[in-house]
């Protein structure tokens, strides 16, 4: 009797798996894909290439590329519900078509593509890369300063294809603030909740008097917290109270010196200068 071993020989994949993820606002964005290599081939172009202009591409190798969103988002201005989608593309000379596809079972089978399964379909301008990208690469970068948008960039050969994802988070943050700055009977609010709410109100142009109330409540538990005092001074400045802001910034500066925190020393010195 001859027994066959169950173990299988393992070798490196011709198109290794890749994954990239990021958080935009409060939304988790993740992309799983397979990464083909150039291997001396011409990939995009009008003719005699792997993927001619105007023809559908599974945007990667094997079973294609999946992108997921933990919340509802907008992709190039198109509303897309939270969930997981396949990415399909149609290369062009200077403009590409991109679609997000709902039926994950399609995988890389582009022959069975069904337009009724599209969650989004849009056109974007491609970019010419100075340096050749040997292995197909996807990045999520250019996260905006307000955390409301980021850019997915598909890169291979000498071409990059960017598209923007926007994520709204204000309603979720406001609901969280509402729920976590109210004390129930016998339960105290975490002082950091007051502080985070105050900073959010300051940075997003909301009720500054409420922000001042919250930062004062936060300071009750730690009156010499230089990081809280600094934010209080900024709120006072925004309210037009230069005298109060200067006094609070000075207290923050002294506390930062005591803690040997040079970053906050510098920030408070700059803040005090701006009040003169």
């Amino acid at each position: 009797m001859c027994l066959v071993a169950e173990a299988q020989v393992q070798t490196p994949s011709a198109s290794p798996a890749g994954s990239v993820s990021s958080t935009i606002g409060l939304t988790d964005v993740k992309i799983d894909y397979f990464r083909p290599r150039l291997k001396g081939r011409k990939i995009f172009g009008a003719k005699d290439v792997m993927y001619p202009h105007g023809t559908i591409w599974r945007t990667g190798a094997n079973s294609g590329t999946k992108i997921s969103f933990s919340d509802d988002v907008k992709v190039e201005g198109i509303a897309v519900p939270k969930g997981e989608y396949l990415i399909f593309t149609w290369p062009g000379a200077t403009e590409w078509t991109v679609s997000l596809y709902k039926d994950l079972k399609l995988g890389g089978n582009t022959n069975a593509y069904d337009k009724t399964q599209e969650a989004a379909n849009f056109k974007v301008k491609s970019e010419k890369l100075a340096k050749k990208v040997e292995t197909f690469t996807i990045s999520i970068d250019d996260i905006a300063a307000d955390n409301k948008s980021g850019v997915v960039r598909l890169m291979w050969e000498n071409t990059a294809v960017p598209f923007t994802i926007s994520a709204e988070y204000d309603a979720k943050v406001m609901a969280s603030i509402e729920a976590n700055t109210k004390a129930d009977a016998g339960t105290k609010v975490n002082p950091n909740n007051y502080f985070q709410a105050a900073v959010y109100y300051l940075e997003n142009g909301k009720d500054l008097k409420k922000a001042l109330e919250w930062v004062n409540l936060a300071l009750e538990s730690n009156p010499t917290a230089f990081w809280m005092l600094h934010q209080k001074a900024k709120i006072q400045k925004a309210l037009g109270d230069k005298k109060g802001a200067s006094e609070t910034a000075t207290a923050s500066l002294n506390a930062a010196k005591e803690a040997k925190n040079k970053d906050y020393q510098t920030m408070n010195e700059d803040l005090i200068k701006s009040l003169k």
Side-chain angles (χ1 to χ4, degrees), residues 96-111:
W96 283 41
T97 299
V98 181
S99 83
L100 302 187
Y101 196 85
K102 292 181 284 187
D103 184 7
L104 301 181
K105 296 190 298 293
L106 184 67
N109 181 17
T110 57
N111 290 329

Side-chain angles (χ1 to χ4, degrees), residues 186-207:
T187 304
K188 294 182 67 175
V189 173
N190 183 331
N192 192 55
N193 289 351
Y194 287 132
F195 177 64
Q196 294 297 335
V199 172
Y200 187 78
Y201 266 43
L202 171 64
E203 293 181 348
N204 290 273
K206 297 186 182 294
D207 186 344

Side-chain angles (χ1 to χ4, degrees), residues 173-234:
V173 173
M174 292 298 286
S176 177
I177 289 174
E178 175 72 17
N180 292 290
T181 56
K182 287 185 177 180
D184 296 326
T187 304
K188 294 182 67 175
V189 173
N190 183 331
N192 192 55
N193 289 351
Y194 287 132
F195 177 64
Q196 294 297 335
V199 172
Y200 187 78
Y201 266 43
L202 171 64
E203 293 181 348
N204 290 273
K206 297 186 182 294
D207 186 344
L208 292 173
K209 290 183 179 179
K210 191 66 179 178
L212 184 60
E213 176 187 328
W214 276 328
V215 78
N216 282 332
L217 287 170
L219 281 163
E220 286 179 3
S221 65
N222 192 356
T224 60
F226 55 84
W227 60 95
M228 292 188 188
L229 287 166
H230 180 74
Q231 293 296 332
K232 177 179 176 178
K234 289 169 67 176

Side-chain angles (χ1 to χ4, degrees), residues 53-91:
H53 293 161
T55 59
I56 189 172
W57 179 37
R58 56 187 163 176
T59 319
N62 302 340
S63 57
T65 294
K66 294 178 183 177
I67 185 168
S68 64
F69 311 109
S70 63
D71 295 296
D72 296 349
V73 297
K74 286 188 176 180
V75 182
E76 286 294 315
I78 301 170
V80 176
K82 68 177 181 179
E84 191 172 26
Y85 304 89
L86 291 166
I87 300 176
F88 289 99
T89 50
W90 289 258

